[in-house]
Amino acid sequence: DSGVTQTPKHLITATGQRVTLRCSPRSGDLSVYWYQQSLDQGLQFLIQYYNGEERAKGNILERFSAQQFPDLHSELNLSSLELGDSALYFCASSATWATHEAFFGQGTRLTVV
Amino acid sequence: GESVGLHLPTLSVQEGDNSIINCAYSNSASDYFIWYKQESGKGPQFIIDIRSNMDKRQGQRVTVLLNKTVKHLSLQIAATQPGDSAVYFCAETSTPYSGGGADGLTFGKGTHLIIQP
């Protein structure tokens, strides 16, 4: 168990809808990272937050947004969902803003139908 | 953009044999490399890492080799066991030590390691 908690584990929704994925980092970790894992694109970095502020952006679509709250949990919001957004979404956390020290959660499997 | 790639999508080995998983990277600015193991239904799990100022690092039953000249990374697993069955990813990043650290990890496509009894 990495100590990173993601909810829900599974999510099925229709195209055009909006969903929110939640991540609770390991106790004491200030950074949260979001990654998307799909069959065709593999694991891709989406966005990083450090102590409530956005620190780095990767391949995140404009339809997607994230935030980190004062209690350091994070939410990834996916809107206007398309079939191609079906994927595993992972959250990782680290104590600092150093990416290489991150630990991953179990992921949320999103299926868009 | 530059990316990390793996040579083989699937590797099948006999239980007890050694496994070698290879990875090529192209971003010369990367100074930190990590191997992750991902079992079905789980998130990537850290196995071992290596900094670019090293060429070899050993852990428990695993060894990572880094060849900066040809931008090649390998993971060696000794005495492969059924529990080693998983997809293995290499990842690269630039750490704060080289002025980076805020771009996330760049992952390779993954190699599926299958253990034959």
Side-chain angles (χ1 to χ4, degrees):
Chain A
D1 184 6
S2 66
V4 179
T5 304
Q6 291 186 245
T7 56
K9 285 188 168 46
H10 302 277
L11 196 50
I12 301 175
T13 190
T15 54
Q17 295 298 305
R18 171 189 170 94
V19 297
T20 298
L21 313 184
R22 182 188 169 100
C23 171
S24 294
R26 293 187 313 159
S27 178
D29 282 359
L30 297 178
S31 269
V32 171
Y33 312 79
W34 287 97
Y35 288 84
Q36 180 194 58
Q37 185 175 35
S38 62
L39 285 176
D40 55 344
Q41 296 294 326
L43 263 164
Q44 289 201 311
F45 169 66
L46 295 178
I47 197 165
Q48 178 197 7
Y49 277 81
Y50 176 74
N51 205 19
E53 295 191 4
E54 181 185 306
R55 181 161 179 88
K57 256 185 177 178
N59 298 318
I60 188 166
L61 300 173
E62 287 191 7
R63 300 184 285 110
F64 297 179
S65 64
Q67 53 184 327
Q68 186 178 30
F69 295 86
D71 67 352
L72 300 177
H73 91 270
S74 178
E75 292 181 355
L76 178 67
N77 300 298
L78 314 176
S79 62
S80 302
L81 285 167
E82 302 174 358
L83 296 177
D85 298 327
S86 295
L88 270 167
Y89 291 85
F90 288 104
C91 169
S93 74
S94 63
T96 69
W97 51 273
T99 300
H100 64 295
E101 299 172 344
F103 290 83
F104 284 77
Q106 301 277 52
T108 292
R109 180 174 292 281
L110 173 67
T111 303
V112 182
V113 297
Chain B
E2 296 181 305
S3 63
V4 175
L6 291 172
H7 294 306
L8 298 173
T10 302
L11 177 65
S12 182
V13 298
Q14 294 285 335
E15 183 178 347
D17 287 352
N18 296 335
S19 302
I20 299 176
I21 302 172
N22 296 302
C23 174
Y25 68 94
S26 57
N27 188 348
S28 57
S30 294
D31 70 332
Y32 204 91
F33 304 88
I34 309 168
W35 281 101
Y36 286 92
K37 171 185 181 182
Q38 186 177 22
E39 296 173 289
S40 182
K42 297 186 177 181
Q45 178 187 356
F46 174 93
I47 301 174
I48 192 168
D49 57 10
I50 188 167
R51 206 181 297 282
S52 60
N53 62 357
M54 304 170 67
D55 52 23
K56 180 178 180 179
R57 189 162 189 227
Q58 288 185 295
Q60 188 177 13
R61 280 202 308 118
V62 294
T63 300
V64 55
L65 299 178
L66 176 63
N67 185 331
K68 294 182 288 294
T69 303
V70 295
K71 296 196 180 98
H72 184 268
L73 194 67
S74 69
L75 176 70
Q76 299 178 5
I77 305 173
T80 311
Q81 303 168 358
D84 295 327
S85 289
V87 177
Y88 290 80
F89 294 94
C90 62
E92 60 170 317
T93 190
S94 299
T95 69
Y97 306 103
S98 66
D103 296 329
L105 294 164
T106 299
F107 282 87
K109 292 294 185 188
T111 292
H112 187 193
L113 179 63
I114 298 171
I115 313 303
Q116 304 282 1

